[in-house]
Amino acid sequence: MVIKGRAHKFGDNVDTDSILPGRYLKLTGREAASHVMEGLAPGFAQRVQPGDIIVAGSNFGCGSGRENATEAVKYAGIGAVIALSFSRLFFRSAINIGLPVLECPDAGSIEDGDL
């Protein structure tokens, strides 16, 4: 499988409330997708193109075990999430819904906007 997309870079400890703020938890995955990453990058969901990739530091998806956050990432059209490490709950939720997640020790060398 080849995944190719534009990188959107975030830092360490991106929690599920930053991925999908709590006020949107009542929305379905597809509805919530329009608010993905709103806690860190307002308007992110409107800028993302299908197949784009989220790149992050360590402990991506920490905090509560909200599957809504993982679903919002997938339904926003994100092709994969690459990080130094993931919270175990986010990692497992991503696998459960078919969102590619990759732990990569070189994630820090990927820059925002890289293809």
Side-chain angles (χ1 to χ4, degrees):
M1 171 172 35
V2 175
I3 299 171
K4 187 175 181 179
R6 186 174 40 138
H8 297 273
K9 192 166 184 177
F10 295 92
D12 294 333
N13 302 309
V14 174
D15 63 16
T16 53
D17 199 46
S18 296
I19 297 168
L20 183 65
R23 63 185 169 275
Y24 303 117
L25 292 179
K26 62 183 178 275
L27 302 177
T28 66
R30 293 190 194 284
E31 295 168 327
S34 64
H35 301 285
V36 72
M37 303 307 286
E38 195 171 288
L40 292 176
F44 174 82
Q46 290 68 44
R47 291 188 304 273
V48 73
Q49 298 294 313
D52 282 357
I53 298 168
I54 289 177
V55 178
S58 61
N59 204 25
F60 186 85
C62 61
S64 66
R66 297 179 184 166
E67 289 185 0
N68 312 56
T70 313
E71 290 173 353
V73 170
K74 179 180 178 176
Y75 290 123
I78 297 297
V81 182
I82 300 171
L84 292 174
S85 65
F86 293 88
S87 80
R88 293 294 98 195
L89 287 172
F90 185 92
F91 191 83
R92 187 70 227 164
S93 292
I95 290 169
N96 288 344
I97 65 168
L99 173 65
V101 285
L102 306 161
E103 288 190 349
C104 176
D106 294 329
S109 67
I110 300 170
E111 295 299 326
D112 198 57
D114 283 355
L115 190 62

